[in-house]
Amino acid sequence: MKVGIALGGGGVRGLAHVPILQVLDDLQIRPAVISGASMGAIVGALYASGMSAREIREVIERRLILKNDTWRDVLQKREDLLKWVYAFKPDFSGSGLINAQGMLNSLLDEIKVDSFEDLEIPLLVVATDYWSAEEVVFEKGVLLTALLASMAVPGVFSPVSMAGRIMIDGGAVNLVPYDLLSGRADFIIAVNVSRVRFTGEAEVPNALESVLGTFDIMQTTILAHKLQTLKPDIYVWPQIRDVRMLDFGKVEEVFAQAAPAAEELRKELLRALRKVNST
């Protein structure tokens, strides 16, 4: 059974993909192909390069001060913590608020992968052509540039110029690109990490959150329409509450809140494997 997995965008919530991928590792399921948008593309690239989910988690946790860290732990992490702080330096060019390349380099300097062809697992990365409003799919060539394009959330990360085209976040047109896996995999898993909304919330968002929240609403609406006509074999939506797109101080909460969805995925995959083995 050729398994394909699509990893959706969602800022820091995209790190929920790590415990999801841990389930695949635990069950010794190696995807035949991965697709991703925005943060899903970044996590997908790390995993496709040959890193395990556990190794990806360790890379992330080295760049954070965790609740149970001692002063000795913090001192040991000092160099990585400084790299992470530098990665999030502001971008005053006028096209974005954060220097995306610094953040990506901070993550990708762990794996030394320069191109799609160097990856161990085929990867499809989705971006959006700003002027034509078309989906653009990358699967060959320079990896870093494609990832920069895929995660260029308008107003937050700078758009990327590629071959005369201006690229922005792939989630603008395809938040969870599981449709790209049709014909490439026999069994498709789609992982949506968009914000979970609840009626009755009355908090007034600030200016940035209004923009990001509206972007999220549009993305999830498009995804909902796609799910009505094309369904993956397994659809995973971790119920992550009270974590905004750029809440990188809540990574531990993301991991914890993703755990129930990961456990449910484990059960569904075990059922699917038993069904395959019985035929």
Side-chain angles (χ1 to χ4, degrees), residues 2 4 10 18 48 65 89 99 105 123 137 150 159 167 176 201-202 210 215 228 238-239 254 261 272-275 278:
K2 293 173 61 177
V18 179
I65 298 177
K89 68 179 181 180
N99 184 325
N105 285 338
L123 175 69
V137 180
S150 184
M167 301 294 179
V176 187
E201 291 186 359
S210 293
F215 187 58
Q228 290 176 1
Q239 300 296 287
V254 171
L273 288 171
R274 284 196 293 269
K275 185 175 180 180
S278 66

Side-chain angles (χ1 to χ4, degrees), residues 10 24 36 57 157 161 166 189 203 236:
L24 300 188
R57 184 163 182 160
F157 298 123
S161 178
I166 303 300
I189 304 167
E203 179 186 357
V236 183

Side-chain angles (χ1 to χ4, degrees), residues 10-49:
V12 68
R13 294 187 303 272
L15 299 180
H17 293 310
V18 179
I20 297 298
L21 292 172
Q22 181 65 58
V23 173
L24 300 188
D25 288 347
D26 292 345
L27 298 180
Q28 298 184 337
I29 297 174
R30 182 178 175 82
V33 60
I34 301 169
S35 63
S38 201
M39 184 61 81
I42 298 172
V43 175
L46 292 167
Y47 194 71
S49 73

